[in-house]
PDB file of all heavy atoms in Angstrom:
ATOM      1  N   GLY A 290     100.961   6.465  49.401  1.00 58.00           N
ATOM      2  CA  GLY A 290     101.216   7.792  49.932  1.00 58.00           C
ATOM      3  C   GLY A 290     100.220   8.233  50.976  1.00 58.00           C
ATOM      4  O   GLY A 290     100.307   9.353  51.478  1.00 58.00           O
ATOM      5  N   GLN A 291      99.261   7.361  51.330  1.00 61.00           N
ATOM      6  CA  GLN A 291      98.265   7.735  52.329  1.00 61.00           C
ATOM      7  C   GLN A 291      98.505   7.020  53.663  1.00 61.00           C
ATOM      8  O   GLN A 291      97.612   6.915  54.487  1.00 61.00           O
ATOM      9  CB  GLN A 291      96.859   7.422  51.814  1.00 61.00           C
ATOM     10  CG  GLN A 291      96.462   8.272  50.608  1.00 61.00           C
ATOM     11  CD  GLN A 291      95.059   7.962  50.111  1.00 61.00           C
ATOM     12  OE1 GLN A 291      94.623   6.813  50.113  1.00 61.00           O
ATOM     13  NE2 GLN A 291      94.347   9.002  49.690  1.00 61.00           N
ATOM     14  N   GLN A 292      99.737   6.563  53.871  1.00 65.00           N
ATOM     15  CA  GLN A 292     100.041   5.810  55.084  1.00 65.00           C
ATOM     16  C   GLN A 292      99.803   6.603  56.362  1.00 65.00           C
ATOM     17  O   GLN A 292      99.550   6.021  57.416  1.00 65.00           O
ATOM     18  CB  GLN A 292     101.496   5.319  55.064  1.00 65.00           C
ATOM     19  CG  GLN A 292     101.770   4.243  54.042  1.00 65.00           C
ATOM     20  CD  GLN A 292     102.290   4.838  52.748  1.00 65.00           C
ATOM     21  OE1 GLN A 292     101.901   5.941  52.372  1.00 65.00           O
ATOM     22  NE2 GLN A 292     103.153   4.120  52.056  1.00 65.00           N
ATOM     23  N   GLU A 293      99.894   7.933  56.283  1.00 68.00           N
ATOM     24  CA  GLU A 293      99.728   8.734  57.500  1.00 68.00           C
ATOM     25  C   GLU A 293      98.331   8.586  58.088  1.00 68.00           C
ATOM     26  O   GLU A 293      98.116   8.915  59.256  1.00 68.00           O
ATOM     27  CB  GLU A 293     100.013  10.211  57.196  1.00 68.00           C
ATOM     28  CG  GLU A 293      99.009  10.889  56.275  1.00 68.00           C
ATOM     29  CD  GLU A 293      99.401  10.791  54.807  1.00 68.00           C
ATOM     30  OE1 GLU A 293     100.194   9.905  54.460  1.00 68.00           O
ATOM     31  OE2 GLU A 293      98.890  11.607  54.023  1.00 68.00           O
ATOM     32  N   TYR A 294      97.378   8.084  57.297  1.00 77.00           N
ATOM     33  CA  TYR A 294      96.021   7.925  57.803  1.00 77.00           C
ATOM     34  C   TYR A 294      95.819   6.592  58.511  1.00 77.00           C
ATOM     35  O   TYR A 294      94.802   6.410  59.190  1.00 77.00           O
ATOM     36  CB  TYR A 294      95.018   8.016  56.649  1.00 77.00           C
ATOM     37  CG  TYR A 294      95.040   9.332  55.913  1.00 77.00           C
ATOM     38  CD1 TYR A 294      95.433   9.400  54.580  1.00 77.00           C
ATOM     39  CD2 TYR A 294      94.669  10.521  56.542  1.00 77.00           C
ATOM     40  CE1 TYR A 294      95.455  10.601  53.893  1.00 77.00           C
ATOM     41  CE2 TYR A 294      94.692  11.733  55.868  1.00 77.00           C
ATOM     42  CZ  TYR A 294      95.086  11.760  54.539  1.00 77.00           C
ATOM     43  OH  TYR A 294      95.105  12.949  53.870  1.00 77.00           O
ATOM     44  N   TYR A 295      96.737   5.653  58.370  1.00 76.00           N
ATOM     45  CA  TYR A 295      96.503   4.304  58.872  1.00 76.00           C
ATOM     46  C   TYR A 295      96.380   4.254  60.389  1.00 76.00           C
ATOM     47  O   TYR A 295      95.551   3.523  60.928  1.00 76.00           O
ATOM     48  CB  TYR A 295      97.600   3.349  58.402  1.00 76.00           C
ATOM     49  CG  TYR A 295      97.667   3.170  56.904  1.00 76.00           C
ATOM     50  CD1 TYR A 295      98.773   2.615  56.295  1.00 76.00           C
ATOM     51  CD2 TYR A 295      96.611   3.569  56.092  1.00 76.00           C
ATOM     52  CE1 TYR A 295      98.834   2.460  54.912  1.00 76.00           C
ATOM     53  CE2 TYR A 295      96.668   3.422  54.717  1.00 76.00           C
ATOM     54  CZ  TYR A 295      97.782   2.873  54.139  1.00 76.00           C
ATOM     55  OH  TYR A 295      97.846   2.717  52.778  1.00 76.00           O
ATOM     56  N   PHE A 296      97.223   5.023  61.096  1.00 73.00           N
ATOM     57  CA  PHE A 296      97.137   5.034  62.556  1.00 73.00           C
ATOM     58  C   PHE A 296      95.729   5.394  62.999  1.00 73.00           C
ATOM     59  O   PHE A 296      95.128   4.724  63.833  1.00 73.00           O
ATOM     60  CB  PHE A 296      98.130   6.037  63.155  1.00 73.00           C
ATOM     61  CG  PHE A 296      99.560   5.590  63.119  1.00 73.00           C
ATOM     62  CD1 PHE A 296     100.512   6.364  62.494  1.00 73.00           C
ATOM     63  CD2 PHE A 296      99.949   4.415  63.722  1.00 73.00           C
ATOM     64  CE1 PHE A 296     101.841   5.961  62.464  1.00 73.00           C
ATOM     65  CE2 PHE A 296     101.268   3.997  63.705  1.00 73.00           C
ATOM     66  CZ  PHE A 296     102.224   4.785  63.073  1.00 73.00           C
ATOM     67  N   LYS A 297      95.215   6.474  62.437  1.00 80.00           N
ATOM     68  CA  LYS A 297      93.896   6.954  62.839  1.00 80.00           C
ATOM     69  C   LYS A 297      92.819   5.951  62.506  1.00 80.00           C
ATOM     70  O   LYS A 297      91.913   5.690  63.317  1.00 80.00           O
ATOM     71  CB  LYS A 297      93.605   8.296  62.143  1.00 80.00           C
ATOM     72  CG  LYS A 297      92.282   8.932  62.570  1.00 80.00           C
ATOM     73  CD  LYS A 297      92.269   9.254  64.058  1.00 80.00           C
ATOM     74  CE  LYS A 297      91.001   9.966  64.460  1.00 80.00           C
ATOM     75  NZ  LYS A 297      90.950  10.214  65.928  1.00 80.00           N
ATOM     76  N   MET A 298      92.880   5.367  61.312  1.00 84.00           N
ATOM     77  CA  MET A 298      91.849   4.414  60.906  1.00 84.00           C
ATOM     78  C   MET A 298      91.866   3.158  61.782  1.00 84.00           C
ATOM     79  O   MET A 298      90.814   2.628  62.131  1.00 84.00           O
ATOM     80  CB  MET A 298      92.033   4.043  59.436  1.00 84.00           C
ATOM     81  CG  MET A 298      91.872   5.197  58.465  1.00 84.00           C
ATOM     82  SD  MET A 298      90.232   5.961  58.492  1.00 84.00           S
ATOM     83  CE  MET A 298      89.411   5.023  57.201  1.00 84.00           C
ATOM     84  N   VAL A 299      93.054   2.684  62.136  1.00 81.00           N
ATOM     85  CA  VAL A 299      93.154   1.524  63.027  1.00 81.00           C
ATOM     86  C   VAL A 299      92.584   1.863  64.397  1.00 81.00           C
ATOM     87  O   VAL A 299      91.852   1.070  64.999  1.00 81.00           O
ATOM     88  CB  VAL A 299      94.609   1.040  63.144  1.00 81.00           C
ATOM     89  CG1 VAL A 299      94.758   0.056  64.298  1.00 81.00           C
ATOM     90  CG2 VAL A 299      95.053   0.384  61.852  1.00 81.00           C
ATOM     91  N   GLU A 300      92.907   3.047  64.909  1.00 80.00           N
ATOM     92  CA  GLU A 300      92.393   3.458  66.211  1.00 80.00           C
ATOM     93  C   GLU A 300      90.868   3.554  66.211  1.00 80.00           C
ATOM     94  O   GLU A 300      90.217   3.280  67.215  1.00 80.00           O
ATOM     95  CB  GLU A 300      93.003   4.807  66.609  1.00 80.00           C
ATOM     96  CG  GLU A 300      94.480   4.712  66.964  1.00 80.00           C
ATOM     97  CD  GLU A 300      95.124   6.077  67.140  1.00 80.00           C
ATOM     98  OE1 GLU A 300      94.440   7.100  66.889  1.00 80.00           O
ATOM     99  OE2 GLU A 300      96.307   6.123  67.532  1.00 80.00           O
ATOM    100  N   LEU A 301      90.309   3.940  65.080  1.00 87.00           N
ATOM    101  CA  LEU A 301      88.855   4.038  64.975  1.00 87.00           C
ATOM    102  C   LEU A 301      88.195   2.666  64.970  1.00 87.00           C
ATOM    103  O   LEU A 301      87.030   2.523  65.338  1.00 87.00           O
ATOM    104  CB  LEU A 301      88.470   4.780  63.692  1.00 87.00           C
ATOM    105  CG  LEU A 301      88.742   6.282  63.656  1.00 87.00           C
ATOM    106  CD1 LEU A 301      88.431   6.842  62.270  1.00 87.00           C
ATOM    107  CD2 LEU A 301      87.909   7.016  64.711  1.00 87.00           C
ATOM    108  N   GLY A 302      88.920   1.644  64.534  1.00 87.00           N
ATOM    109  CA  GLY A 302      88.359   0.302  64.481  1.00 87.00           C
ATOM    110  C   GLY A 302      88.186  -0.257  63.085  1.00 87.00           C
ATOM    111  O   GLY A 302      87.513  -1.273  62.900  1.00 87.00           O
ATOM    112  N   VAL A 303      88.814   0.394  62.087  1.00 90.00           N
ATOM    113  CA  VAL A 303      88.781  -0.132  60.726  1.00 90.00           C
ATOM    114  C   VAL A 303      89.525  -1.465  60.692  1.00 90.00           C
ATOM    115  O   VAL A 303      90.592  -1.602  61.288  1.00 90.00           O
ATOM    116  CB  VAL A 303      89.411   0.878  59.743  1.00 90.00           C
ATOM    117  CG1 VAL A 303      89.608   0.262  58.376  1.00 90.00           C
ATOM    118  CG2 VAL A 303      88.533   2.128  59.640  1.00 90.00           C
ATOM    119  N   LYS A 304      88.977  -2.446  59.992  1.00 87.00           N
ATOM    120  CA  LYS A 304      89.505  -3.806  60.038  1.00 87.00           C
ATOM    121  C   LYS A 304      90.389  -4.192  58.860  1.00 87.00           C
ATOM    122  O   LYS A 304      91.158  -5.150  58.951  1.00 87.00           O
ATOM    123  CB  LYS A 304      88.342  -4.808  60.120  1.00 87.00           C
ATOM    124  CG  LYS A 304      87.464  -4.644  61.332  1.00 87.00           C
ATOM    125  CD  LYS A 304      88.238  -4.845  62.623  1.00 87.00           C
ATOM    126  CE  LYS A 304      87.317  -4.771  63.832  1.00 87.00           C
ATOM    127  NZ  LYS A 304      88.067  -4.922  65.110  1.00 87.00           N
ATOM    128  N   GLY A 305      90.262  -3.478  57.738  1.00 88.00           N
ATOM    129  CA  GLY A 305      91.016  -3.887  56.570  1.00 88.00           C
ATOM    130  C   GLY A 305      91.522  -2.711  55.765  1.00 88.00           C
ATOM    131  O   GLY A 305      90.958  -1.610  55.816  1.00 88.00           O
ATOM    132  N   PHE A 306      92.599  -2.957  55.019  1.00 89.00           N
ATOM    133  CA  PHE A 306      93.220  -1.917  54.194  1.00 89.00           C
ATOM    134  C   PHE A 306      93.596  -2.507  52.849  1.00 89.00           C
ATOM    135  O   PHE A 306      94.367  -3.466  52.784  1.00 89.00           O
ATOM    136  CB  PHE A 306      94.473  -1.358  54.889  1.00 89.00           C
ATOM    137  CG  PHE A 306      94.178  -0.650  56.180  1.00 89.00           C
ATOM    138  CD1 PHE A 306      94.001  -1.367  57.349  1.00 89.00           C
ATOM    139  CD2 PHE A 306      94.050   0.728  56.213  1.00 89.00           C
ATOM    140  CE1 PHE A 306      93.707  -0.722  58.543  1.00 89.00           C
ATOM    141  CE2 PHE A 306      93.760   1.386  57.398  1.00 89.00           C
ATOM    142  CZ  PHE A 306      93.588   0.656  58.563  1.00 89.00           C
ATOM    143  N   LEU A 307      93.030  -1.933  51.792  1.00 90.00           N
ATOM    144  CA  LEU A 307      93.284  -2.398  50.437  1.00 90.00           C
ATOM    145  C   LEU A 307      93.766  -1.244  49.574  1.00 90.00           C
ATOM    146  O   LEU A 307      93.262  -0.122  49.690  1.00 90.00           O
ATOM    147  CB  LEU A 307      92.003  -2.943  49.802  1.00 90.00           C
ATOM    148  CG  LEU A 307      91.570  -4.368  50.100  1.00 90.00           C
ATOM    149  CD1 LEU A 307      90.192  -4.607  49.492  1.00 90.00           C
ATOM    150  CD2 LEU A 307      92.570  -5.377  49.563  1.00 90.00           C
ATOM    151  N   LEU A 308      94.734  -1.517  48.701  1.00 88.00           N
ATOM    152  CA  LEU A 308      95.080  -0.539  47.685  1.00 88.00           C
ATOM    153  C   LEU A 308      94.002  -0.566  46.604  1.00 88.00           C
ATOM    154  O   LEU A 308      93.441  -1.616  46.292  1.00 88.00           O
ATOM    155  CB  LEU A 308      96.439  -0.875  47.063  1.00 88.00           C
ATOM    156  CG  LEU A 308      97.656  -0.537  47.914  1.00 88.00           C
ATOM    157  CD1 LEU A 308      98.913  -1.099  47.260  1.00 88.00           C
ATOM    158  CD2 LEU A 308      97.804   0.964  48.108  1.00 88.00           C
ATOM    159  N   LYS A 309      93.732   0.587  46.013  1.00 87.00           N
ATOM    160  CA  LYS A 309      92.658   0.677  45.031  1.00 87.00           C
ATOM    161  C   LYS A 309      92.977  -0.064  43.735  1.00 87.00           C
ATOM    162  O   LYS A 309      92.082  -0.314  42.935  1.00 87.00           O
ATOM    163  CB  LYS A 309      92.303   2.141  44.755  1.00 87.00           C
ATOM    164  CG  LYS A 309      91.721   2.829  45.982  1.00 87.00           C
ATOM    165  CD  LYS A 309      91.270   4.242  45.693  1.00 87.00           C
ATOM    166  CE  LYS A 309      89.986   4.270  44.905  1.00 87.00           C
ATOM    167  NZ  LYS A 309      89.439   5.628  44.775  1.00 87.00           N
ATOM    168  N   ASN A 310      94.242  -0.425  43.561  1.00 86.00           N
ATOM    169  CA  ASN A 310      94.586  -1.200  42.367  1.00 86.00           C
ATOM    170  C   ASN A 310      94.656  -2.703  42.654  1.00 86.00           C
ATOM    171  O   ASN A 310      95.169  -3.472  41.847  1.00 86.00           O
ATOM    172  CB  ASN A 310      95.916  -0.722  41.774  1.00 86.00           C
ATOM    173  CG  ASN A 310      97.089  -0.939  42.714  1.00 86.00           C
ATOM    174  OD1 ASN A 310      96.909  -1.350  43.866  1.00 86.00           O
ATOM    175  ND2 ASN A 310      98.287  -0.664  42.240  1.00 86.00           N
ATOM    176  N   SER A 311      94.126  -3.129  43.801  1.00 88.00           N
ATOM    177  CA  SER A 311      94.118  -4.555  44.140  1.00 88.00           C
ATOM    178  C   SER A 311      93.235  -5.326  43.165  1.00 88.00           C
ATOM    179  O   SER A 311      92.247  -4.799  42.650  1.00 88.00           O
ATOM    180  CB  SER A 311      93.579  -4.762  45.562  1.00 88.00           C
ATOM    181  OG  SER A 311      94.388  -4.128  46.517  1.00 88.00           O
ATOM    182  N   ASP A 312      93.597  -6.586  42.902  1.00 90.00           N
ATOM    183  CA  ASP A 312      92.744  -7.390  42.029  1.00 90.00           C
ATOM    184  C   ASP A 312      91.579  -7.960  42.836  1.00 90.00           C
ATOM    185  O   ASP A 312      91.548  -7.900  44.066  1.00 90.00           O
ATOM    186  CB  ASP A 312      93.542  -8.489  41.325  1.00 90.00           C
ATOM    187  CG  ASP A 312      94.195  -9.476  42.273  1.00 90.00           C
ATOM    188  OD1 ASP A 312      93.628  -9.762  43.347  1.00 90.00           O
ATOM    189  OD2 ASP A 312      95.296  -9.974  41.948  1.00 90.00           O
ATOM    190  N   ILE A 313      90.613  -8.525  42.145  1.00 91.00           N
ATOM    191  CA  ILE A 313      89.391  -8.986  42.803  1.00 91.00           C
ATOM    192  C   ILE A 313      89.657 -10.140  43.765  1.00 91.00           C
ATOM    193  O   ILE A 313      88.961 -10.298  44.771  1.00 91.00           O
ATOM    194  CB  ILE A 313      88.322  -9.381  41.766  1.00 91.00           C
ATOM    195  CG1 ILE A 313      86.972  -9.633  42.444  1.00 91.00           C
ATOM    196  CG2 ILE A 313      88.774 -10.580  40.957  1.00 91.00           C
ATOM    197  CD1 ILE A 313      86.437  -8.452  43.237  1.00 91.00           C
ATOM    198  N   ILE A 314      90.681 -10.940  43.480  1.00 91.00           N
ATOM    199  CA  ILE A 314      91.019 -12.035  44.396  1.00 91.00           C
ATOM    200  C   ILE A 314      91.395 -11.487  45.760  1.00 91.00           C
ATOM    201  O   ILE A 314      90.973 -12.007  46.800  1.00 91.00           O
ATOM    202  CB  ILE A 314      92.167 -12.890  43.810  1.00 91.00           C
ATOM    203  CG1 ILE A 314      91.703 -13.607  42.541  1.00 91.00           C
ATOM    204  CG2 ILE A 314      92.653 -13.910  44.845  1.00 91.00           C
ATOM    205  CD1 ILE A 314      92.799 -14.381  41.838  1.00 91.00           C
ATOM    206  N   GLU A 315      92.185 -10.406  45.757  1.00 90.00           N
ATOM    207  CA  GLU A 315      92.578  -9.815  47.037  1.00 90.00           C
ATOM    208  C   GLU A 315      91.399  -9.124  47.717  1.00 90.00           C
ATOM    209  O   GLU A 315      91.294  -9.132  48.948  1.00 90.00           O
ATOM    210  CB  GLU A 315      93.729  -8.824  46.852  1.00 90.00           C
ATOM    211  CG  GLU A 315      94.264  -8.315  48.168  1.00 90.00           C
ATOM    212  CD  GLU A 315      95.655  -7.718  48.086  1.00 90.00           C
ATOM    213  OE1 GLU A 315      96.015  -7.190  47.022  1.00 90.00           O
ATOM    214  OE2 GLU A 315      96.367  -7.774  49.104  1.00 90.00           O
ATOM    215  N   VAL A 316      90.506  -8.539  46.940  1.00 93.00           N
ATOM    216  CA  VAL A 316      89.299  -7.934  47.518  1.00 93.00           C
ATOM    217  C   VAL A 316      88.494  -8.993  48.269  1.00 93.00           C
ATOM    218  O   VAL A 316      88.065  -8.781  49.409  1.00 93.00           O
ATOM    219  CB  VAL A 316      88.431  -7.276  46.431  1.00 93.00           C
ATOM    220  CG1 VAL A 316      87.092  -6.820  47.026  1.00 93.00           C
ATOM    221  CG2 VAL A 316      89.156  -6.084  45.819  1.00 93.00           C
ATOM    222  N   PHE A 317      88.317 -10.150  47.650  1.00 93.00           N
ATOM    223  CA  PHE A 317      87.576 -11.225  48.319  1.00 93.00           C
ATOM    224  C   PHE A 317      88.342 -11.750  49.530  1.00 93.00           C
ATOM    225  O   PHE A 317      87.731 -12.110  50.547  1.00 93.00           O
ATOM    226  CB  PHE A 317      87.277 -12.359  47.334  1.00 93.00           C
ATOM    227  CG  PHE A 317      86.150 -12.070  46.387  1.00 93.00           C
ATOM    228  CD1 PHE A 317      86.275 -12.335  45.031  1.00 93.00           C
ATOM    229  CD2 PHE A 317      84.963 -11.531  46.844  1.00 93.00           C
ATOM    230  CE1 PHE A 317      85.241 -12.069  44.153  1.00 93.00           C
ATOM    231  CE2 PHE A 317      83.911 -11.258  45.982  1.00 93.00           C
ATOM    232  CZ  PHE A 317      84.049 -11.525  44.627  1.00 93.00           C
ATOM    233  N   SER A 318      89.669 -11.793  49.438  1.00 90.00           N
ATOM    234  CA  SER A 318      90.470 -12.228  50.592  1.00 90.00           C
ATOM    235  C   SER A 318      90.247 -11.285  51.768  1.00 90.00           C
ATOM    236  O   SER A 318      90.118 -11.721  52.923  1.00 90.00           O
ATOM    237  CB  SER A 318      91.955 -12.261  50.224  1.00 90.00           C
ATOM    238  OG  SER A 318      92.229 -13.257  49.275  1.00 90.00           O
ATOM    239  N   ALA A 319      90.202  -9.979  51.478  1.00 92.00           N
ATOM    240  CA  ALA A 319      89.976  -8.988  52.530  1.00 92.00           C
ATOM    241  C   ALA A 319      88.575  -9.125  53.118  1.00 92.00           C
ATOM    242  O   ALA A 319      88.398  -9.116  54.345  1.00 92.00           O
ATOM    243  CB  ALA A 319      90.184  -7.586  51.973  1.00 92.00           C
ATOM    244  N   LEU A 320      87.580  -9.250  52.253  1.00 94.00           N
ATOM    245  CA  LEU A 320      86.209  -9.408  52.728  1.00 94.00           C
ATOM    246  C   LEU A 320      86.069 -10.655  53.598  1.00 94.00           C
ATOM    247  O   LEU A 320      85.471 -10.615  54.680  1.00 94.00           O
ATOM    248  CB  LEU A 320      85.251  -9.480  51.540  1.00 94.00           C
ATOM    249  CG  LEU A 320      84.998  -8.182  50.767  1.00 94.00           C
ATOM    250  CD1 LEU A 320      84.269  -8.472  49.459  1.00 94.00           C
ATOM    251  CD2 LEU A 320      84.203  -7.190  51.608  1.00 94.00           C
TER     252      LEU A 320
END
């Protein structure tokens, strides 16, 4: 439900997006 923020974050230069319920394997994949 926070998709409306993605445009702004990408424009700022944020490199990754994770859901807070992601498992640790995906966290390491993102890192």
